[in-house]
Structure formats: structure tokens, C-alpha cells
Amino acid sequence: MMIRFPLVVLVLIIGALRCRMARAEQSPGSGNVYTLASVREDLVRQEDTIIYGLIERAKFPSNSHTYDEKYAQIPHFCGSLVEFVVKNTEALQAKAGRYKNPEENAFFPENLSPSIVPSYPFKQFLHPGAASININKSIWKMYFQDLLPLLATPGDDGNYAQTAANDLSLLQAISRRVHYGKFVAEVKFRDSPEDYEPLIRAKDKEGLMKLLTFTSVEESVRKRVEKKASVFGQEVSLESVDNDNKKRKFDPTVASSLYKNWVIPLTKEVQVEYLLRRLD
Amino acid sequence: MMIRFPLVVLVLIIGALRCRMARAEQSPGSGNVYTLASVREDLVRQEDTIIYGLIERAKFPSNSHTYDEKYAQIPHFCGSLVEFVVKNTEALQAKAGRYKNPEENAFFPENLSPSIVPSYPFKQFLHPGAASININKSIWKMYFQDLLPLLATPGDDGNYAQTAANDLSLLQAISRRVHYGKFVAEVKFRDSPEDYEPLIRAKDKEGLMKLLTFTSVEESVRKRVEKKASVFGQEVSLESVDNDNKKRKFDPTVASSLYKNWVIPLTKEVQVEYLLRRLD
């Protein structure tokens, strides 16, 4: 007897099995396996982290002093409180080995001390050219100019250090998602190098962008992110799960706008940059 | 015509109105108003932060090297990687003014530099004796001995710095919730000092604990937390919201156990300690 599944069901089943297997088998060195399925699963999980981050940042009002260089006046430091917190936390996390993982990219890479803990054998899956790709400057600009005004309600509750810490977590989650484009591109390249090589050799950015663009998939991602934002951001009480009313912790369309306008285009930018270096 | 609401509906309506008003009215100094209703609302919102934190920590395997003093061998530092990250991040956040807010309590308070940013006029709502209450040592012990083994699946993916950063966020969320007991106690005391004063004068810990204990409320909190953990921790896809199946990001009973066995008892411990100092 043959049992037939639609492709989407099969992908879900394989995904669930992979997840369980990965959990059972986790051991040093085996955590970073990159396949089309694992990369897709990781991208989906990263959506959740970004949404929790959005909700947690939206808990605080705008707290504009956090971003005001003139307010902070920090001795021996030129910049706003958020820059102070991000630069110094990154320096500390670098010492703790964060940036040994090729999935991580710092916002202030020029500022980092080397890791002071024993190094872990992260799988070297990417082409070495990947190390030179870091578009965190664009993410930083987008975050403060475009995203925060949509996300945070006007106001000041004095929790500037906590606000900056939440900004950092969310920035790191978005950065990780965008730069994961390197892994997406490598997996796609290995899957069909014959499609990519001629475009790479011709330095055909537009052609690569076209090859990487699946409008219907992007639309699904955007919709799923909005649905997740609406589920995770709802008020839950014992009486009801309040999915349809106005008592939400933030507007779910902010999450889908973030993906549509910035995360998806920036990820494709990383993919193109990576592919252009892939044959060097 | 009289419209009659059950009490629980009224509380919900008032809560929603308060929330909207608080957002509209946020301005310097007005963020920290403490009333029975606002304290309850804040406690409910803090549950969400703790649950997001649990889910995000459960994303990583146990990563035991993070907690192993022998592994880290950090120059000029005696302790594990998580201690290194927590102590240094707290020192940085102290400079950024985090602990100026009486709702915040450090895990390593002996290690903190003073704030280097202009101070914000946080409302001085508590009795000065509150400053001497810090039970983070108990929270720290509970977190590593009891909670982490329930939460993290065995394994090692090398992301020790990220793991420690997630530990810190979750520890801070739990600590904030437990020490919020000071505000709960102050609000309750102001509401009916005649009930508390004789017990405080008699240093009657047991009597105070009895007065603060509402078993049915505690049971509701525990149930709500488990429900939230199940809603926020589910896998959400475009096809379905998968609330009943096994594809959860962590076991929701871990959240309710955390509340039942530790958060609720520790909060009451803080309340009793606070009340004992209330008439000094």
C-alpha cells in the first residue's frame, strides 16, 4: 500500500524528525550542520526570537534619552547611551567567544578583543570571503530610523539601560537573521552550482538577485511572521486567549513590515555579496 | 438602565483602560505609579517576559562548559564563563544607570560602579529598608541547580557566550519579578496597615506569611503561566496554530513549576522581609 503525502506535509514531517534527531544527537561539533532543510528550520526559529525581541522592546516607551548623545555625556566616551552599551557588551561577549561562531557579526567589529576562552570547533561551512561581509551599519540605521518609531510608543520611564539592553538583543537577532543569508547562499550554491557560476563570473548582481527571489515564498514568510507576532503578542488570561481583540503587546504588522521592507531585502543583499565572492 | 458586569470582567475592562491611559500619558516621572491595580498588571506582564526568556534559553542545549570554572580559565578572573558575563554585564549596566531603578537588584552588587549618566527621578515609593533586601543568591542557586536541568536539553553547540547572555536576561527577569514583592508588600500595607502592624511589631513571620497567602490566587497564577507558556511556546505555521501537538519549544509545565516552587515562595519571602522592616 502506498501512502501519499502532499510535499508540504512531507517537509513538515521531515522537519519535525530532524528537530528531534538534532536534539538527541547534540554533541560537540555536531550542532552546526547546514542543509537546505536545517537552514530553513533555523530561519523559521529565528523569526520567533525576533518577535519576542520586538515584544520586549515595545514594553518600554521610546525613552529617547537612550539615543541622545547630548544627554549621556559619558566620560571618555563619545556617543549615546545605546552606543556605549552595545560597544561594551559586544567587547565583553567577544572575550566570551561569541564571534568565533561564523553566524555572528558584530555592530562594532573594530572594537573587539579576542576570545579568552578555549575555542570550539565551529564547522567551517562558508567560503572564506564570508568574513568580509558585514552589513550591520545598514541594520543599525534601519533600526533607529525606521523600526523604533513604529515600535515604541512615545514616553520616558527612565529605564534607559534596560532599553539599550533590549535594543542590543533585538539588533543581534535581526543581524543574525540577515547574515544567515551567507549560509542560505552557500547551501543554494552547493545545490546547483551550474545555475550560479555563470552569473558570478559575469558579476551579474541583477541576475543573481533574480535567481534568489521567490515572491510567493517571501509573501508566505511575511504572512507567517505577522501571524506569529499576533499569537505571541496577545494577552493570555485564564478566561480566554485574546487573539482577535485590541489588547496586544504590539502591532503585528510592524513585524511583517520589518520582514518585508528590511529583513528579506537585506538578507538577499548578503546572499548576492556572498555569491559574488564565492569563486574567488 | 443598569448594566451589570461580573467582577472579573470589570477588572479586565479597568485593566485595559489603565493600560491605554498609561501609554498615552507616559512622560518623565509618571512611569512609576504603584497601585494595587498597576502592581497586579505589572506582575502579569512580567510573566510574559519570563516565558519568552525560558523559551529563548531552551533554544540552546545545556552547554555545560558555560558553567564550568575549570573550562573557562579566564585570565585574572576566578569563576565560570557565566559568572564572567553576568558580573561584567551588570557592571556595565550599572554605569548605564540600571540599578537606579528600585525595581532592579544585581546578582553581584558588591561589584558595581556608580551610574555615569544623569539620574532619573524614580519615584521613591518603598520604605528605605527595601534597599537591604536582595535574595538573588537564592535565585542564582535555584536557577542553576533546579531550573536549568529542567529547561535545557543535554548537548553542546559551542554558543557559550550567547547562552550566558540568555541566562543573564532570564535571571534578571526572574529577579525583577521576585523583588517586585517589595512593591506588592508596600501596596498591601498601605491598603490595610491595621492588619499588618501588630504582626510586624510581634516579628511574627508565620502570621505575615499567612496573611500574604491566597492559595486560590497562587493556583490561578500557576495555571495562567502554564497557559501562556503553551501559547507563546507553540510552533506557528501558516497552515495551523499547533497548540495541542508535541511541537513545542519547551515544556510549559517547567514554567508553572518555576512559579509554583520558586517564584511565588521567593516573592512571599521578599514581602515578609520587607514588611518586617516596614516600621523601622
Side-chain angles (χ1 to χ4, degrees):
Chain A
M1 193 181 112
M2 283 272 288
I3 302 174
R4 308 183 81 184
F5 291 109
L7 182 61
V8 64
V9 174
L10 260 184
V11 166
L12 283 173
I13 294 171
I14 292 168
L17 282 175
R18 272 207 73 268
C19 182
R20 222 159 293 164
M21 284 163 63
R23 283 188 188 182
E25 287 170 9
Q26 258 152 4
S27 65
S30 79
N32 359 83
V33 176
Y34 301 101
T35 63
L36 263 173
S38 77
V39 162
R40 194 171 303 132
E41 192 182 291
D42 207 327
L43 289 172
V44 169
R45 178 62 186 84
Q46 290 185 50
E47 291 164 6
D48 302 9
T49 298
I50 290 174
I51 290 164
Y52 301 139
L54 289 168
I55 295 169
E56 285 299 283
R57 177 56 189 85
K59 187 173 64 174
F60 295 100
S62 49
N63 281 340
S64 60
H65 284 330
T66 315
Y67 315 109
D68 180 0
E69 204 167 310
K70 285 191 205 101
Y71 176 81
Q73 302 278 1
I74 298 168
H76 318 296
F77 183 82
C78 176
S80 64
L81 188 67
V82 76
E83 287 173 88
F84 178 76
V85 168
V86 171
K87 278 188 184 174
N88 285 289
T89 311
E90 281 194 338
L92 169 62
Q93 294 188 349
K95 284 186 197 168
R98 182 179 190 114
Y99 301 102
K100 286 287 182 183
N101 184 341
E103 295 174 18
E104 301 283 352
N105 296 267
F107 284 86
F108 298 98
E110 64 285 358
N111 195 47
L112 303 180
S113 317
S115 165
I116 54 175
V117 295
S119 72
Y120 175 89
F122 285 105
K123 188 168 176 182
Q124 295 311 312
F125 178 73
L126 300 177
H127 183 277
S132 64
I133 302 168
N134 181 333
I135 64 162
N136 276 336
K137 277 200 169 63
S138 305
I139 295 174
W140 184 271
K141 201 174 146 213
M142 172 282 291
Y143 184 85
F144 293 103
Q145 283 188 6
D146 302 307
L147 182 61
L148 263 192
L150 294 177
L151 188 62
T153 51
D156 184 334
D157 68 2
N159 290 311
Y160 314 134
Q162 295 89 318
T163 299
N166 276 283
D167 286 326
L168 173 60
S169 295
L170 180 49
L171 280 164
Q172 286 178 327
I174 295 171
S175 167
R176 196 169 173 278
R177 170 62 177 78
V178 166
H179 289 97
Y180 209 71
K182 301 177 190 178
F183 295 87
V184 176
E186 177 63 24
V187 161
K188 286 181 179 173
F189 178 85
R190 290 193 191 189
D191 200 44
S192 51
E194 65 285 3
D195 293 341
Y196 290 96
E197 283 183 10
L199 295 166
I200 295 171
R201 288 191 208 288
K203 300 191 197 323
D204 182 355
K205 280 194 182 195
E206 265 185 54
L208 286 168
M209 191 58 93
K210 215 173 149 188
L211 198 58
L212 293 166
T213 300
F214 298 90
T215 315
S216 68
V217 174
E218 292 175 8
E219 183 58 16
S220 297
V221 170
R222 203 194 53 69
K223 278 189 189 156
R224 183 176 58 227
V225 164
E226 188 164 323
K227 186 172 175 186
K228 284 182 175 182
S230 134
V231 171
F232 300 152
Q234 69 192 302
E235 299 289 342
V236 176
S237 70
L238 271 182
E239 294 73 39
S240 66
V241 172
D242 234 336
N243 201 6
D244 293 322
N245 80 348
K246 298 285 165 289
K247 292 196 295 164
R248 289 228 179 84
K249 287 182 285 271
F250 84 119
D251 175 2
T253 65
V254 173
S256 50
S257 298
L258 167 65
Y259 262 73
K260 184 185 172 194
N261 299 328
W262 301 297
V263 167
I264 293 173
L266 289 171
T267 305
K268 288 199 288 184
E269 192 180 320
V270 167
Q271 291 185 58
V272 169
E273 287 305 313
Y274 179 81
L275 288 168
L276 287 173
R277 290 162 173 80
R278 182 58 179 77
L279 301 176
D280 290 353
Chain B
M1 191 180 113
M2 285 274 286
I3 302 175
R4 309 184 80 185
F5 290 109
L7 182 61
V8 65
V9 175
L10 262 184
V11 166
L12 282 173
I13 293 171
I14 293 167
L17 283 175
R18 273 206 76 269
C19 183
R20 220 159 297 164
M21 286 163 64
R23 282 189 190 183
E25 288 170 9
Q26 258 151 4
S27 65
S30 78
N32 0 82
V33 176
Y34 301 101
T35 63
L36 262 175
S38 77
V39 162
R40 195 172 302 131
E41 194 182 289
D42 206 329
L43 289 172
V44 169
R45 178 61 186 86
Q46 289 185 50
E47 291 164 5
D48 302 8
T49 298
I50 289 174
I51 290 164
Y52 302 139
L54 289 167
I55 295 169
E56 284 298 284
R57 176 57 188 86
K59 189 172 64 174
F60 296 100
S62 49
N63 281 339
S64 60
H65 284 328
T66 315
Y67 315 108
D68 180 0
E69 204 168 309
K70 286 193 206 102
Y71 176 81
Q73 302 277 1
I74 298 169
H76 317 295
F77 183 84
C78 176
S80 65
L81 189 66
V82 76
E83 287 173 87
F84 177 76
V85 168
V86 171
K87 278 187 184 174
N88 285 289
T89 311
E90 281 194 339
L92 169 63
Q93 295 189 347
K95 285 186 194 167
R98 180 179 191 113
Y99 302 101
K100 287 287 181 182
N101 184 341
E103 295 174 18
E104 301 284 351
N105 295 267
F107 284 86
F108 298 98
E110 65 285 354
N111 197 47
L112 303 182
S113 317
S115 167
I116 54 174
V117 295
S119 73
Y120 175 90
F122 286 104
K123 186 166 177 183
Q124 295 310 310
F125 178 74
L126 300 177
H127 184 278
S132 64
I133 301 168
N134 181 333
I135 64 163
N136 276 336
K137 277 199 169 62
S138 304
I139 295 174
W140 183 271
K141 201 174 145 212
M142 172 283 288
Y143 184 86
F144 293 104
Q145 282 186 6
D146 303 308
L147 182 61
L148 262 192
L150 294 176
L151 188 61
T153 50
D156 185 335
D157 68 4
N159 290 310
Y160 313 133
Q162 295 89 319
T163 300
N166 276 285
D167 286 327
L168 173 60
S169 296
L170 180 50
L171 280 163
Q172 285 177 328
I174 295 170
S175 167
R176 194 168 176 280
R177 170 62 177 77
V178 166
H179 290 96
Y180 208 71
K182 300 176 189 178
F183 295 86
V184 176
E186 177 63 24
V187 160
K188 286 181 177 172
F189 179 85
R190 290 193 192 188
D191 199 47
S192 50
E194 65 284 3
D195 293 342
Y196 290 95
E197 283 183 9
L199 294 167
I200 295 171
R201 288 190 208 288
K203 298 194 198 319
D204 182 355
K205 280 194 183 196
E206 264 183 57
L208 285 168
M209 190 58 93
K210 215 173 150 186
L211 197 59
L212 293 166
T213 300
F214 297 91
T215 314
S216 67
V217 174
E218 291 176 9
E219 183 59 16
S220 296
V221 170
R222 201 194 55 68
K223 277 189 191 158
R224 184 176 58 227
V225 164
E226 189 166 322
K227 187 173 175 186
K228 285 182 174 183
S230 135
V231 171
F232 301 152
Q234 69 193 300
E235 299 290 341
V236 176
S237 69
L238 272 182
E239 295 72 38
S240 65
V241 173
D242 233 334
N243 200 4
D244 293 322
N245 81 350
K246 299 284 165 287
K247 291 198 294 165
R248 289 227 179 84
K249 287 182 285 272
F250 84 119
D251 175 2
T253 64
V254 173
S256 51
S257 298
L258 167 65
Y259 263 73
K260 184 184 172 195
N261 298 328
W262 301 297
V263 168
I264 293 173
L266 289 171
T267 305
K268 289 199 288 186
E269 193 181 318
V270 167
Q271 291 185 58
V272 169
E273 287 305 312
Y274 178 80
L275 288 167
L276 287 173
R277 291 162 173 79
R278 183 58 181 75
L279 301 175
D280 289 353

